[in-house]
Amino acid sequence: MPDDSTRADRTTLPPAVTGERRQLNARAGRLTCYVGGDPRGVPLLLIHSINAAASVYEVKPLYDWAVAQGRRVYAPDLPGFGLSERGARSYSIRLYTDAVHDTLDHIAAEAGAGAVDAAALSLGCEFLARAAVETPQRVRSLALINPTGFNRGSDRMRAAPGASREVPGLHTAFNNGLWGQAIFDLLVSRRSVHYFMKRTFGSDNVGPDLVDYAYRTAHQPGARHAPYAFLSARLFSRDIRNVYEAIAQPVWVPHGTRGDFRDYSEAAWAQARANWRLTPMPTGAMPHFEQTAAFMAGLQTFLSQK
């Protein structure tokens, strides 16, 4: 089977959002970071999710809103996704947390050393939260959109710092040269991408533009490497409850109440904390796409009340 870098079905990937595309090259390797909005505006960092077809497009409504609000917005394609480096390397919790740190370093170099507001989606919330705990002086507030780590059994996620939930042998099985690419091709066919989006939304209310960009980004050279780390659970933190409990900054958690990612049955501890606020929304796991106006109003309220 030919290497995926020479596949005939790969499609050209356009920019996910407007603005300048900058190349960062530090701890997490080569990252593409979209930068937009007023250079004098208050910085906002956006971190997308991790899945088989992730990219900055997942946070596009937030990016566009921040630009319209006159903020300075920074949104990196995380390692292995979008226009960032996609090589066959070790994708880990540390790598993705370092990608957040690299972007925070870049923001500080341009906008000064003050703390920034930040928002993340789904599994991306774990990496943002870890970075915010490691360097609390860099992050002023966290909007965690449909974060992982609040479902039933999550109270047991108190392992050693940085430990992952990887299933032994699964990553090796996925990467077998005989079938690794073929399996990934099935996972990211247009039919499959639309199917998983419907399960994420919990309805048919999935925009074709979102599906199209997901399909395109999943058909770039090297696209399978990071998703296989995700599918083997290597990127899920076994200590995430400890990380979340260590956050001292204000936290807003808007989350959906339908679809496959609606289990927040172990969120009572966060609701009881003064710096945490949870807002259930009648949407799937991407409320900023489904109820954009209501979501942005909630975000604006959160950012103005810190």
Side-chain angles (χ1 to χ4, degrees):
M1 179 176 294
D3 181 83
D4 61 352
S5 64
T6 62
R7 293 165 58 208
D9 66 336
R10 70 180 188 271
T11 60
T12 301
L13 188 66
V17 292
T18 60
E20 181 183 356
R21 280 176 288 166
R22 297 182 181 174
Q23 300 299 315
L24 314 184
N25 203 332
R27 287 164 289 194
R30 182 181 59 77
L31 300 179
T32 291
C33 183
Y34 296 89
V35 182
D38 190 337
R40 301 164 297 179
V42 178
L44 176 66
L45 169 63
L46 302 177
I47 302 297
H48 65 75
S49 181
I50 304 290
N51 52 66
S55 75
V56 164
Y57 202 93
E58 295 178 339
V59 293
K60 185 178 186 298
L62 283 84
Y63 184 98
D64 293 344
W65 173 85
V67 169
Q69 292 290 312
R71 298 193 67 134
R72 188 63 160 170
V73 59
Y74 300 80
D77 273 323
L78 295 176
F81 297 101
L83 296 172
S84 290
E85 182 180 343
R86 293 184 183 241
R89 55 176 171 158
S90 177
Y91 292 91
S92 65
I93 293 167
R94 184 73 262 161
L95 178 71
Y96 286 96
T97 304
D98 283 346
V100 178
H101 284 307
D102 289 346
T103 312
L104 287 168
D105 288 347
H106 183 73
I107 297 172
E110 178 175 83
V116 307
D117 298 313
L121 176 64
S122 192
L123 181 55
C125 296
E126 296 194 13
F127 311 128
L128 174 60
R130 191 177 299 275
V133 169
E134 292 176 351
T135 55
Q137 74 279 7
R138 286 286 184 86
V139 181
R140 181 169 61 179
S141 70
L142 298 86
L144 305 181
I145 308 165
N146 231 83
T148 50
F150 290 87
N151 58 303
R152 191 170 78 173
S154 59
D155 184 56
R156 297 192 296 272
M157 298 295 106
R158 299 181 181 278
S164 87
R165 296 166 59 186
E166 181 172 5
V167 178
L170 194 55
H171 187 265
T172 300
F174 280 139
N175 269 316
N176 187 293
L178 296 175
W179 57 72
Q181 187 62 48
I183 292 174
F184 187 70
D185 288 343
L186 290 174
L187 286 173
V188 296
S189 68
R190 283 194 181 273
R191 183 186 296 271
S192 293
V193 168
H194 188 256
Y195 170 76
F196 286 115
M197 284 287 185
K198 285 176 62 176
R199 297 192 64 167
T200 298
F201 277 67
S203 74
D204 289 327
N205 189 29
V206 183
D209 55 341
L210 183 60
V211 174
D212 182 65
Y213 200 89
Y215 175 84
R216 289 187 177 213
T217 195
H219 286 80
Q220 301 305 301
R224 77 178 189 271
H225 298 304
Y228 277 164
F230 163 76
L231 291 170
S232 66
R234 177 181 293 181
L235 306 181
F236 289 84
S237 302
R238 288 183 60 208
D239 65 331
I240 193 57
R241 179 58 65 85
N242 292 338
V243 173
Y244 284 154
E245 290 181 354
I247 297 175
Q249 301 95 320
V251 185
W252 180 46
V253 180
H255 65 89
T257 56
R258 67 166 192 263
D260 283 3
F261 309 103
R262 66 182 185 273
D263 182 2
Y264 283 79
S265 57
E266 291 199 9
W269 70 267
Q271 293 171 322
R273 295 201 169 192
N275 63 317
W276 285 73
R277 180 162 65 88
L278 278 70
T279 303
M281 300 186 70
T283 68
M286 301 179 80
H288 51 299
F289 274 93
E290 291 191 72
Q291 294 196 351
T292 304
F295 178 92
M296 297 310 171
L299 178 60
Q300 181 62 59
T301 298
F302 169 66
L303 293 174
S304 65
Q305 290 180 346
K306 297 188 305 298

